[in-house]
Amino acid sequence: MDRNQATGLILFAAVILVYSLFFASTPEIPEVETATTTQTESIQSNGISQQAVTDTIAENDSTLDVARLAKYGALASITVGEEETITLENDLIQVEISSKGAEIRKVVLKEYKSWKMEPLELLNEESSKMSFMLESKNGPLDLNDIYFSPSIESSQNDEGIHTQTLLLKAETENGHIIQSFTLADGSYQVQKSFEIDRFQGVFTGSELAFNWEDQVIAQEMDLSESRRQARLNYYTISGSFDNLGSGNDLEQETIGESVKWVGFSQRFFTAAIIADTDFQNVSITQSTPTDSTVVRSMATSLSIPLQDGKAGFNYYFGPDKYKTLKKVTDGFEDNVDMGYFFVSWVNKYIIVNLFAFLEKFFTNYGVIIIIIVFLIKLALFPLTYKSYIGMAKMRVIKPEIDELKEKYGDDATKMQQEQMKLFSKLGVSPISGCLPMVLQMPFLFAMFFFFPNAIELRQESFLWATDLSTYDTFFNLPFTIPFYGSHVSMFTLLMTVSQIIYTHFNNQLTTATGPMKNLGYIMPVMFMFILNSYPAGLSFYYFVSNMVTFGQQALIKLFVDDDKIRAKVEESKAKNVNKKKSKFQQKLEDAMKAADNTRKK
């Protein structure tokens, strides 16, 4: 309502009030008829038929109804009614929808529980507010002001799957507005359609303005981890995925192109709106509240184009399962953070499929993790073997390296040159032990992203850990250690101890000395602080991985001893007596000499 309309309405109400005070006791009927005729003429100027005016005044000729008619015009009769709550549900979700505005009031995920073991409400009437606005002759119309008549139909789709459709219809003699919600069995998606029929000259806009504010309800015990993983994600029509980060400050963004979907994603669950075609004029906002029951405050406003008075889109209310999300729409699987590009392929194409396969045969996820470790270690065993042999070769030529250090210890450049000559003559590569380990790093780091986002581990217990998706609390401390916490994770301790033992064992196989040798002991302690509040499944994976590596190296040692390796080195030495330097070796040597000459000058 603009300023002129408001002024006119106030003056009109004042006239009615003055009239009632000074002339109400006068039995002159013509005066009342004149006033009623004046109201009727005023209301008819808004495009309402004589019969609609007569019926409305007959029901209630109060000032409130006059104001309603002035505000809503031809739609006034459908802004009065009784609100009902209708439930759509299948085997996976339950959705409560109000007949007032056709607003979604509650969504319950039936397969899951909150960390308090209560029904998991992804959103409810207190946490989530949705509104649709339409431009009309009388100004912006909020569809939440409209009362709809509900009806539910059951049918089968083209694939023979049972579906339910909630039809919500608001009708006057000038036209009708229909909103429908369709939910199929076995689906987390709710299909929404909107249609305006007739109402000639009433609606002036060509788009629906949608606003959604959601106080994302905390579903996990570890609020800090939930907030760290929460993202407001979106995917553009051009195929670009992006999000507002995980910072605590207020963040806002107006997206400069059309958008395919917008998702409010917390650690294991996502609520999203997905376009049939595209969303326009999209803006997003998020912030972190002080309320510990809320993960993040998220909001979006966008425009949905109307084609011949019709529009359609989907909602997604469900878990962040990679394979489930991948079936929804383009880029939707990116709601699960699988890591940076150089490690994400491990999770997307190997780990996710391994989990899905093993879930068919095992129900204990601790056992599944152990089997995955064995399978990965078996696949990477050739690299482990090469790494062991490479380090062993460096170990058996240590006497020659020590001689060079005694002879050229004060001249670092000369020392490097002579080492390169020695390696070439003996057929040993200084990186032969490191390169295979580097090639295994994507698998190591992939788990760092997979386990914190693996909904498969949520509320799954193993040994003393009641939930593998969060840290295991073996016992609580009466104080808080900075960067560590006030609890002790036993799986993290086991991982740390095993890594220190592995480092000690590994140092016996290498020629590392000084700071490099000590660094191997520092890193496990650092990771103990980092991983103490990470999922127990991750620490357990690293612990089992260390133990399997011990076994592999012990097995290799049974078949490979230093004498045999020394024999191979001597064999290479004899072959390379008259071998010419490669171009790479020559260029490397020339570069080192040039650097040495520059330094001396």
Side-chain angles (χ1 to χ4, degrees):
M1 181 183 297
D2 59 26
R3 182 175 296 178
N4 291 333
Q5 289 175 315
T7 303
L9 182 60
I10 292 170
L11 291 175
F12 184 75
V15 170
I16 297 298
L17 180 63
V18 170
Y19 175 80
S20 64
L21 290 174
F22 291 97
F23 302 103
S25 59
T26 304
E28 297 180 11
I29 302 303
E31 291 294 332
V32 177
E33 289 176 349
T34 302
T36 303
T37 302
T38 303
Q39 296 174 18
T40 302
E41 291 173 352
S42 174
I43 294 167
Q44 282 182 320
S45 69
N46 281 323
I48 307 174
S49 68
Q50 175 66 42
Q51 183 61 42
V53 173
T54 303
D55 291 345
T56 303
I57 293 177
E59 291 177 7
N60 192 341
D61 60 356
S62 66
T63 303
L64 178 62
D65 284 329
V66 172
R68 186 184 301 278
L69 288 165
K71 179 178 179 180
Y72 296 108
L75 305 171
S77 62
I78 56 177
T79 62
V80 179
E82 292 185 5
E83 184 177 6
E84 298 180 53
T85 299
I86 308 96
T87 301
L88 276 182
E89 65 179 307
N90 59 15
D91 51 326
L92 301 178
I93 64 173
Q94 178 182 311
V95 184
E96 293 184 6
I97 301 165
S98 172
S99 64
K100 186 174 186 289
E103 183 182 6
I104 294 177
R105 294 293 177 86
K106 182 188 290 187
V107 176
V108 177
L109 302 186
K110 298 167 72 173
E111 289 185 303
Y112 300 94
K113 300 287 185 182
S114 71
W115 71 274
K116 296 180 180 179
M117 302 311 294
E118 299 172 346
L120 196 151
E121 294 183 1
L122 191 60
L123 55 88
N124 57 38
E125 190 172 355
E126 289 73 35
S127 71
S128 177
K129 302 295 179 185
M130 298 182 187
S131 66
F132 291 89
M133 305 289 289
L134 264 173
E135 287 296 330
S136 72
K137 180 181 178 181
N138 291 64
L141 171 69
D142 188 344
L143 291 181
N144 284 345
D145 294 339
I146 305 295
Y147 286 84
F148 293 83
S149 299
S151 63
I152 295 182
E153 300 175 354
S154 295
S155 61
Q156 287 189 339
N157 61 20
D158 296 338
E159 299 174 354
I161 298 173
H162 177 261
T163 63
Q164 294 181 76
T165 299
L166 170 62
L167 198 66
L168 293 156
K169 188 174 183 179
E171 187 173 18
T172 73
E173 65 178 18
N174 296 302
H176 63 248
I177 302 172
I178 297 176
Q179 299 194 66
S180 69
F181 297 83
T182 301
L183 178 63
D185 285 352
S187 176
Y188 294 103
Q189 295 185 67
V190 179
Q191 184 180 355
K192 172 76 180 289
S193 68
F194 175 85
E195 179 183 353
I196 302 173
D197 183 47
R198 293 180 291 146
F199 283 118
Q200 298 296 327
V202 175
F203 295 107
T204 59
S206 60
E207 60 186 24
L208 272 172
F210 174 69
N211 290 281
W212 185 7
E213 298 178 1
D214 190 17
Q215 305 294 312
V216 180
I217 302 171
Q219 309 293 352
E220 314 304 323
M221 178 184 69
D222 189 350
L223 180 62
S224 61
E225 180 66 12
S226 294
R227 286 178 171 172
R228 191 177 71 85
Q229 298 288 352
R231 300 283 192 280
L232 201 167
N233 301 322
Y234 64 89
Y235 190 83
T236 65
I237 291 296
S238 63
S240 173
F241 171 83
D242 207 344
N243 56 43
L244 292 181
S246 57
N248 292 326
D249 297 332
L250 175 66
E251 297 179 90
Q252 297 177 320
E253 182 179 348
T254 299
I255 302 168
E257 60 178 305
S258 297
V259 169
K260 179 63 178 177
W261 56 263
V262 178
F264 299 164
S265 184
Q266 55 175 304
R267 189 176 173 194
F268 293 126
F269 304 98
T270 291
I273 181 170
I274 306 163
D276 280 358
T277 54
D278 67 331
F279 297 136
Q280 300 170 358
N281 307 315
V282 180
S283 64
I284 52 179
T285 306
Q286 76 170 5
S287 61
T288 302
T290 56
D291 187 351
S292 62
T293 65
V294 176
V295 175
R296 196 70 57 85
S297 297
M298 298 183 179
T300 184
S301 62
L302 50 87
S303 299
I304 305 171
L306 289 172
Q307 298 290 336
D308 299 323
K310 298 179 180 179
F313 55 90
N314 282 2
Y315 293 107
Y316 176 87
F317 304 115
D320 285 345
K321 277 189 174 181
Y322 184 81
K323 285 196 167 186
T324 300
L325 299 183
K326 195 170 178 63
K327 297 175 183 177
V328 173
T329 189
D330 292 341
F332 205 65
E333 68 275 12
D334 290 333
N335 281 298
V336 181
D337 184 8
M338 290 295 189
Y340 301 111
F341 71 93
F342 58 89
V343 298
S344 61
W345 63 271
V346 176
N347 288 328
K348 291 179 180 179
Y349 304 115
I350 299 176
I351 305 303
V352 167
N353 290 312
L354 269 179
F355 257 86
F357 175 76
L358 293 173
E359 281 176 326
K360 299 175 183 178
F361 306 99
F362 303 94
T363 58
N364 189 303
Y365 281 84
V367 174
I368 290 176
I369 290 173
I370 293 172
I371 294 173
I372 287 177
V373 171
F374 273 96
L375 291 174
I376 291 176
K377 285 295 184 180
L378 182 63
L380 298 177
F381 182 72
L383 293 177
T384 303
Y385 178 80
K386 287 183 178 294
S387 176
Y388 183 92
I389 296 299
M391 289 187 293
K393 284 182 177 180
M394 291 297 295
R395 185 176 67 254
V396 298
I397 67 168
K398 188 174 183 300
E400 285 90 335
I401 295 175
D402 290 340
E403 288 181 11
L404 293 178
K405 286 180 179 179
E406 290 179 6
K407 190 174 182 180
Y408 304 105
D410 296 332
D411 191 338
T413 304
K414 186 65 175 177
M415 176 66 186
Q416 288 179 337
Q417 291 174 353
E418 292 301 321
Q419 273 191 335
M420 294 301 295
K421 289 179 183 179
L422 176 66
F423 294 151
S424 177
K425 186 168 77 171
L426 299 180
V428 174
S429 171
I431 64 171
S432 60
C434 299
L435 187 58
M437 293 180 66
V438 171
L439 294 176
Q440 297 181 60
M441 294 303 285
F443 288 86
L444 185 69
F445 286 121
M447 301 305 159
F448 195 78
F449 291 95
F450 177 79
F451 281 101
N453 297 293
I455 192 173
E456 292 84 354
L457 301 181
R458 185 177 184 268
Q459 296 179 352
E460 294 291 342
S461 61
F462 182 68
L463 298 179
W464 57 83
T466 57
D467 186 346
L468 287 171
S469 70
T470 188
Y471 54 82
D472 60 303
T473 303
F474 197 70
F475 60 87
N476 289 303
L477 299 172
F479 50 85
T480 299
I481 301 175
F483 307 108
Y484 182 78
S486 59
H487 68 275
V488 175
S489 166
M490 181 55 69
F491 280 136
T492 304
L493 280 180
L494 290 172
M495 180 211 70
T496 303
V497 172
S498 65
Q499 186 64 39
I500 290 173
I501 295 173
Y502 172 73
T503 299
H504 176 75
F505 178 74
N506 215 37
N507 283 343
Q508 311 306 312
L509 303 177
T510 67
T511 58
T513 58
M516 287 300 296
K517 190 171 184 177
N518 295 328
L519 184 63
Y521 294 104
I522 296 173
M523 292 299 292
V525 177
M526 291 178 58
F527 274 102
M528 180 185 71
F529 279 81
I530 295 171
L531 298 180
N532 190 61
S533 294
Y534 268 67
L538 178 63
S539 299
F540 180 62
Y541 175 90
Y542 286 151
F543 167 66
V544 176
S545 180
N546 288 339
M547 300 306 294
V548 174
T549 302
F550 293 158
Q552 286 182 331
Q553 291 194 346
L555 183 64
I556 294 171
K557 198 171 183 181
L558 289 176
F559 298 96
V560 179
D561 58 35
D562 290 357
D563 292 337
K564 291 180 179 179
I565 293 174
R566 184 70 210 190
K568 287 185 178 180
V569 170
E570 292 297 332
E571 185 179 338
S572 297
K573 181 179 179 180
K575 288 181 181 179
N576 296 331
V577 170
N578 298 316
K579 184 179 178 180
K580 293 182 179 179
K581 296 177 182 178
S582 67
K583 291 183 179 180
F584 175 76
Q585 288 174 325
Q586 187 61 53
K587 286 182 179 180
L588 185 61
E589 188 174 324
D590 292 342
M592 295 175 82
K593 286 181 180 179
D596 186 44
N597 292 333
T598 303
R599 182 179 60 81
K600 290 180 179 179
K601 289 179 181 180

